[in-house]
Amino acid sequence: MAVDVLLGLQWGDEGKGKIVDVLSAGYDLIARFQGGPNAGHTLEFDGKKFVLNTIPSGIFFENTLNLIGNGVIIDPITLKKELGKLKDAGHDLLEKQNLVIAKKAHLILPTHQLLDAASEKKMGEGKIGSTLKGIGPTYMDKTGRNGLRVGDITLPDFKERYQKLADKHLAMLQALYGETPDLTERTAEFFAAIDLIKKFPLVDSEHLVNNYLKEGKKVLAEGAQGAMLDIDFGSYPFVTSSNTTAAGACTGLGIAPRNVGEVIGIFKAYCTRVGGGPFPTELNNETGEELRRIGHEFGATTGRPRRTGWIDLPALKYAIMLSGVSQLVMTKADVLSGFEKIYACTHYNYLGEKIDYMPYDICSITPEPIYKEIDGWHEDLTGITEVSKIPAKLKSYIDFLEAELGVPVKYLSVGPDRKQTLVLH
Ligand code: GDP
Ligand code: IMO
Ligand code: MG
């Protein structure tokens, strides 16, 4: 057996949560492999809506176990809130026993968040546009070999270890930013949340995942963010601090590359980005406003308006190459209904040259998109349940994308609900 990997191909918010939920019934284990509570994964079914930040999107199926993998970073306070909201909605994960946490996952401290905020504030206009969840500083401590891990919370000297790291952060806050925050309340909240985390099974997740594979069970790795936010290959420095591409699933769960099966890449029928950084196909006009309004393009985690634009094929091809994507999922096709013409960027004009790839420096020299005009469709897609009812013009858009990208579009999403999903192949 192999691990299937599901990930975002754009700048995040492609609809990963919804699609993982749709696919979960067919898997024994859903495992998040990177990122932290910067993610906001939205699921809708039976008239209810849930936004998950740290918890994998397979929790609503009885026979599916969910793992927060070692590549994820956990803010105990956010996780406690997430668990509380789910419990209030009738999903007590402690009772259901369907969530386990990797001992090797790193912890986000309140001081990591303060460092994130102070750093962004100091950068002013040039800021990353971080979600301010402490992502950068926590991964810095991980690679800097100073971090605290979930497994440490059971050690007798955990409080001292915590204090040592928090003191280092406080010294940095003072020296670099002149800040001397009072942490009494946040520290108490942090340790209350740690007490809750201790009640969940803390596991050697690399063994758990590999044993599942040996037993012939089905595993789906759930990515967060998107390829263009990858720390190595994204629009650096306007990226997040983890590998969001398929390789991240190997290090983030402890699986060998040869054990990766299908790689399922998700993209919107158009494109969005939240936060700073280059976005070649961005529409700073009425059409962009329309896409934001119809697509409800506001961040699931921060509520910030998302920047909107047309689909970017050089960026998508790059993302497909980086992760070896074998199946595509197109979401939010319904949002484009009613547009007379839609546009797909097939090439860039970059320094006077027509190119079809993502150049090295897109931050100081933003490539200018070259578009193909495509006829739009007018039919409302949200009630379609049969592939034969897909409008001909949408069908040609999909055919065009498949030909350009060289990978089949296996699923088409036509609304936020679990049921609004069509299997094309
Ligand atoms: P994720 O971070 O990739 O899981 O995506 P988000 O949840 O942040 O953002 C996707 C948004 O689009 C959510 O509000 C979803 O409920 C919604 N959504 C997902 N698929 C569709 C779709 O096919 N059509 C529409 N209209 N909304 C969708
Ligand atoms: P999901 O999983 C969209 C963006 C932030 C910012 C940059 C760095 O819901 O798709 P960070 O908080 O990581 O320091 O922010 O990355 N970003 C996301 N954008 N969806 C996400 O997650 C994101 N997670 C981070 O807006 O530009
Ligand atoms: Mg999101």
Side-chain angles (χ1 to χ4, degrees):
M1 284 307 268
V3 175
D4 294 338
V5 180
L6 179 145
L7 31 75
L9 299 180
Q10 294 163 320
W11 275 280
D13 304 327
E14 296 89 350
K16 298 174 290 291
K18 173 196 156 154
I19 301 300
V20 171
D21 173 63
V22 167
L23 300 179
S24 283
Y27 286 93
D28 301 296
L29 177 69
I30 306 294
R32 256 287 295 272
F33 63 85
Q34 45 68 235
N38 47 350
H41 295 176
T42 316
L43 290 75
E44 288 191 38
F45 54 89
D46 300 340
K48 285 174 283 187
K49 178 173 164 175
F50 296 93
V51 177
L52 301 173
N53 303 114
T54 324
I55 296 171
S57 303
I59 49 165
F60 297 105
F61 287 88
E62 287 306 315
N63 300 316
T64 308
L65 184 68
N66 291 268
L67 164 70
I68 301 177
N70 60 276
V72 177
I73 53 174
I74 298 174
D75 168 17
I77 298 172
T78 307
L79 180 56
K80 183 167 181 267
K81 284 188 190 144
E82 251 182 287
L83 289 163
K85 274 193 204 155
L86 286 167
K87 191 176 171 184
D88 292 346
H91 301 276
D92 184 341
L93 303 196
L94 260 182
E95 203 173 86
K96 286 191 172 186
Q97 301 187 341
N98 63 349
L99 179 69
V100 298
I101 305 171
K103 284 185 200 160
K104 293 193 173 80
H106 278 245
L107 292 170
I108 303 176
L109 271 53
T111 40
H112 281 129
Q113 290 173 357
L114 294 176
L115 283 168
D116 207 0
S119 154
E120 283 281 86
K121 196 167 144 204
K122 192 159 189 185
M123 281 204 265
E125 282 293 292
K127 68 179 180 184
I128 306 294
S130 163
T131 59
L132 306 181
K133 304 292 176 189
I135 305 299
T138 307
Y139 277 118
M140 278 163 72
D141 271 337
K142 175 179 175 173
T143 51
R145 297 160 296 179
N146 287 309
L148 286 176
R149 301 186 292 176
V150 167
D152 298 339
I153 67 178
T154 57
L155 300 177
D157 64 344
F158 176 63
K159 281 212 164 132
E160 287 81 59
R161 287 173 188 237
Y162 169 91
Q163 204 50 56
K164 195 171 158 210
L165 187 55
D167 284 346
K168 183 183 140 196
H169 294 159
L170 287 170
M172 287 163 76
L173 282 162
Q174 165 68 41
L176 298 175
Y177 309 108
E179 291 184 11
T180 46
D182 176 8
L183 280 164
T184 322
E185 225 170 273
R186 298 287 285 170
T187 307
E189 249 190 289
F190 180 88
F191 281 100
I194 290 290
D195 286 342
L196 176 62
I197 292 179
K198 278 183 185 160
K199 294 183 180 161
F200 285 86
L202 308 181
V203 298
D204 292 312
S205 61
E206 59 278 34
H207 290 296
L208 182 134
V209 174
N210 283 290
N211 285 338
Y212 260 60
L213 294 182
K214 263 189 223 152
E215 290 163 17
K217 292 182 178 160
K218 293 199 72 184
V219 182
L220 178 66
E222 175 179 358
Q225 289 80 50
M228 297 314 296
L229 290 171
D230 182 276
I231 182 72
D232 281 281
F233 300 107
S235 46
Y236 194 89
F238 298 95
V239 292
T240 191
S241 300
S242 62
N243 282 115
T244 58
T245 42
C250 293
T251 55
L253 293 173
I255 48 173
R258 68 196 294 177
N259 288 333
V260 173
E262 296 294 334
V263 180
I264 306 163
I266 308 197
F267 66 98
K268 280 181 194 174
Y270 48 99
C271 198
T272 63
R273 164 162 214 175
V274 60
F279 181 5
T281 61
E282 182 167 18
L283 294 166
N284 282 311
N285 58 18
E286 255 175 50
T287 310
E289 287 283 338
E290 281 279 276
L291 285 172
R292 186 174 307 112
R293 186 181 58 77
I294 304 169
H296 305 292
E297 295 296 356
F298 296 89
T301 303
T302 57
R304 291 179 292 176
R306 293 177 185 145
R307 300 156 66 190
T308 52
W310 298 119
I311 202 161
D312 183 336
L313 299 181
L316 264 183
K317 282 183 195 168
Y318 186 54
I320 288 168
M321 175 189 82
L322 293 171
S323 289
V325 172
S326 59
Q327 298 178 359
L328 291 168
V329 182
M330 182 161 91
T331 60
K332 305 197 98 162
D334 54 298
V335 174
L336 294 184
S337 289
F339 282 84
E340 207 56 51
K341 298 281 178 198
I342 58 176
Y343 296 85
C345 165
T346 57
H347 297 78
Y348 300 130
N349 179 353
Y350 186 71
L351 298 172
E353 212 187 311
K354 186 177 173 184
I355 58 170
D356 66 352
Y357 61 90
M358 181 65 73
Y360 169 74
D361 183 10
I362 63 168
C363 291
S364 53
I365 315 156
T366 305
E368 197 186 307
I370 300 172
Y371 288 113
K372 177 180 165 63
E373 186 178 88
I374 293 159
D375 283 343
W377 54 91
H378 293 274
E379 296 87 340
D380 174 11
L381 309 179
T382 55
I384 294 184
T385 53
E386 285 165 47
V387 173
S388 61
K389 300 278 163 46
I390 295 174
K393 285 186 173 149
L394 170 55
K395 183 76 184 48
S396 352
Y397 183 44
I398 296 170
D399 291 345
F400 162 73
L401 292 176
E402 286 185 335
E404 285 281 319
L405 302 172
V407 182
V409 177
K410 185 157 181 204
Y411 301 95
L412 177 69
S413 175
V414 292
D417 192 90
R418 187 191 271 172
K419 291 206 178 106
Q420 292 171 302
T421 316
L422 298 159
V423 184
L424 303 187
H425 290 281

